[in-house]
Amino acid sequence: MRIKSERAGALALLAVAVLAAPGQLAAQAPDPSIVVTGEAQPDPAAMTPGPEVKGFIAARSGNRMKVVAADGTASVVVLTDATRIKASSGLFGGGKAKPGADVLLNGLPVTVKTLQSGSELFASQVTYRSGDFKTASMIRNGTAQGFAEQTAATEALRGRMADIDKYNIKSTTNVYFDTGKAALSPAARMELCNAASAAEGTEGALMLVVGYTDSTGSDEVNQALSEKRAASVINYLQQQCRWKPYRMLTPTGMATADPAASNDTPEGKAQNRRVAVNVLVSKAIDGM
């Protein structure tokens, strides 16, 4: 964006400045050779209210943030200098400096109020819970045990035991989905929180979430759908059931593999449209 002194708005402001302070030297006109780089952002007053976006931060790139909702849908929002960042204990600020966008870590569950300009969403406010930030920060920065990102617990245990990849399955909870859908039913939500509550007291318990589909649709569609269902379950477990991210193994989508029943009948297909939540404990520590 090249600054041009002949713009009417700039001339008007310059004239006002000269009239308001006749005893002062007038500011020099901008150098037309100066080129300002960066992404121009629309005036907030000219934007319309956008949707409220809830989910976890899946990726960051510059001033753009990808938020994945509980149903697996992803939204990209733009962070601006005007974006307010709010923790559960209240707005940062007061006597403290406003935090930068670096507090918005990958994996952090957030609620984003947006303004819309065309097809783009701009964040007017980002809210998160203080406890979630502490967890996300721990995963991001590591601890004395070597936790790192979503595979934190796995990495820590691998450092102490040679056979970490050998697990005992303590329990499996299956939740089911409508054809082609990744949204959780009320019954599924209750079952997930019950499973998380039961696993909470198991020493060293980790969760492995695996998504599946029936045989409807192409291989590509089913693979994407199985991953979307797994993401939906993980989001709900972490955000609503308060299962810690560092106790979650990397999820996977298995599409039509390992069917629970025959895909030749509607009843069988219904059993295959599922996500399996497996509670695992390494055999090396199980029973210790």
Side-chain angles (χ1 to χ4, degrees):
M1 179 174 62
R2 188 175 295 277
I3 301 176
K4 297 182 179 180
S5 60
E6 64 270 25
R7 290 182 179 174
L11 287 174
L13 290 174
L14 181 59
V16 170
V18 172
L19 290 174
Q24 299 179 4
L25 293 175
Q28 294 183 351
D31 186 344
S33 66
I34 297 175
V35 177
V36 180
T37 60
E39 184 178 350
Q41 297 174 354
D43 181 359
M47 290 189 277
T48 58
E52 184 176 77
V53 178
K54 292 184 178 182
F56 74 92
I57 300 173
R60 290 283 308 279
S61 178
N63 65 338
R64 295 177 181 273
M65 178 173 71
K66 183 177 181 180
V67 179
V68 179
D71 63 359
T73 58
S75 302
V76 175
V77 296
V78 180
L79 302 170
T80 72
D81 292 339
T83 301
R84 293 181 296 167
I85 300 175
K86 183 179 179 182
S88 57
S89 57
L91 280 172
F92 283 106
K96 299 181 180 179
K98 178 183 176 182
D102 56 340
V103 303
L104 302 177
L105 304 177
N106 285 349
L108 181 68
V110 293
T111 299
V112 185
K113 293 183 178 180
T114 68
L115 295 172
Q116 190 161 4
S117 177
S119 60
E120 284 203 299
L121 297 177
F122 293 80
S124 60
Q125 179 173 293
V126 181
T127 307
Y128 62 90
R129 297 183 182 182
S130 298
D132 289 337
F133 174 75
K134 291 178 182 178
T135 299
S137 181
M138 182 189 71
I139 295 170
R140 171 71 176 270
N141 298 323
T143 69
Q145 290 181 308
F147 287 122
E149 298 185 357
Q150 290 289 333
T151 56
T154 304
E155 293 301 322
L157 289 170
R158 183 174 285 116
R160 301 199 305 267
M161 301 165 189
D163 60 348
I164 182 63
D165 293 323
K166 299 177 181 179
Y167 296 99
N168 284 331
I169 299 178
K170 308 302 288 185
S171 66
T172 298
T173 299
N174 289 307
V175 294
Y176 300 93
F177 297 82
D178 292 335
T179 303
K181 304 297 183 182
L184 292 167
S185 68
R189 294 170 185 163
M190 183 179 298
E191 290 177 21
L192 289 176
C193 285
N194 287 342
S197 179
E200 187 65 39
T202 301
E203 183 71 22
L206 307 174
M207 278 190 181
L208 174 63
V209 174
V210 186
Y212 299 93
T213 69
D214 61 24
S215 60
T216 304
S218 66
D219 291 343
E220 293 78 9
V221 168
N222 286 333
Q223 181 60 40
L225 180 58
S226 65
E227 293 172 358
K228 191 173 181 180
R229 285 172 174 168
S232 178
V233 166
I234 283 182
N235 288 345
Y236 196 83
L237 283 168
Q238 293 181 162
Q239 296 171 22
Q240 303 301 324
C241 305
R242 317 312 299 163
W243 185 259
K244 296 295 186 285
Y246 61 85
R247 297 179 69 183
M248 187 80 71
L249 296 174
T250 303
T252 186
M254 293 295 288
T256 59
D258 194 21
S262 171
N263 278 304
D264 294 332
T265 65
E267 293 78 13
K269 287 184 175 181
Q271 293 183 57
N272 293 331
R273 296 191 298 269
R274 73 197 192 280
V275 166
V277 178
N278 302 285
V279 176
L280 309 177
V281 175
S282 170
K283 292 180 179 179
I285 62 174
D286 194 14
M288 290 178 61

